[in-house]
Amino acid sequence: KYAGENEARFDHDPDTLESLGLLIEESRTNIVVYSEEFNSNWWGKSGGGNPGTTVTANQEVAPDGTTTADYIDYTTATAASQNVEVSYDNTPDGKIYTGSVWIKGTAGQTFNLTLDANGVSGSAQQFTLNGDWQRFSITREYPAGSPAAYFRFGVRNLGHPSTGTATQVYAWGAQIELGSFPTSYIPTSGSTVTRSPD
């Protein structure tokens, strides 16, 4: 649910639905330029093959009630890495980033998120889908000397020992922010966006 400017927001536990009280957040910037348009050239599609990982725009109702969620098909990808991905920082040395994205897919299938860097082992996690919209996130502190940080989500991530089974999913609302935990979604369309502190 979205709240208007200067309207109080109340947080809830996503599993128990227990009220967590008034939501008060610090300022954060979503450095993803196209947070809902995974078909744009800003997002890379790895996977080899022809056509490889494919994205079809606006195929499903997103968590905000609009038909803006994209359909991602990994079935024609043949390479070791089958992802939608972006490079977001050329010098991430010592920084802590959190990447997040909303995913909807077949219940019981698995899906991977990775915060990676060229020449440096990746930080990866695998998640299990439940058939509904879920927001997944991953946090990483980059060591000194880390070049070109990447955010990847897909079924087989570089540096991850497991291969996901979710070959077709819907995705929406990607966010990469400087910090050790995810904050509420900040939509973007063509530029980064900063949310003022509450």
Side-chain angles (χ1 to χ4, degrees):
K1 180 180 178 181
Y2 284 96
E5 187 174 357
N6 296 319
E7 179 183 350
R9 298 181 297 163
F10 294 89
D11 202 10
H12 295 78
D13 185 288
D15 297 319
T16 66
L17 303 183
E18 178 183 1
S19 176
L20 300 177
L22 184 66
L23 177 62
I24 299 177
E25 294 186 299
E26 61 195 73
S27 176
R28 285 286 182 91
T29 299
N30 185 358
I31 61 176
V32 171
V33 172
Y34 292 98
S35 65
E36 299 171 15
E37 300 165 60
F38 301 111
N39 60 313
S40 75
N41 291 332
W42 192 80
W43 288 96
K45 290 84 175 175
S46 64
N50 187 11
T53 298
T54 60
V55 178
T56 307
N58 305 329
Q59 297 297 299
E60 176 71 2
V61 176
D64 69 346
T66 62
T67 306
T68 52
D70 292 353
Y71 175 73
I72 301 177
D73 187 354
Y74 300 101
T75 58
T76 57
T78 58
S81 177
Q82 299 157 10
N83 299 286
V84 173
E85 60 190 25
V86 67
S87 173
Y88 62 92
D89 189 342
N90 289 328
T91 55
D93 304 17
K95 299 174 187 175
I96 300 175
Y97 279 105
T98 296
S100 59
V101 64
W102 290 85
I103 298 292
K104 181 179 180 180
T106 302
Q109 292 189 334
T110 54
F111 196 79
N112 300 333
L113 294 185
T114 300
L115 288 177
D116 202 4
N118 283 341
V120 181
S121 59
S123 175
Q125 285 181 259
Q126 189 166 87
F127 302 90
T128 300
L129 305 179
N130 65 9
D132 295 321
W133 282 110
Q134 298 166 270
R135 190 188 191 197
F136 300 115
S137 67
I138 184 171
T139 298
R140 179 181 188 184
E141 180 176 0
Y142 285 92
S146 296
Y150 286 86
F151 176 52
R152 296 183 167 104
F153 60 93
V155 293
R156 189 171 181 181
N157 285 324
L158 296 173
H160 196 285
S162 303
T163 299
T165 58
T167 54
Q168 292 106 8
V169 299
Y170 295 101
W172 181 83
Q175 185 155 303
I176 302 170
E177 51 196 311
L178 194 61
S180 60
F181 57 90
T183 61
S184 58
Y185 174 53
I186 305 167
T188 69
S189 183
S191 65
T192 64
V193 174
T194 299
R195 180 186 57 241
S196 298
D198 292 326

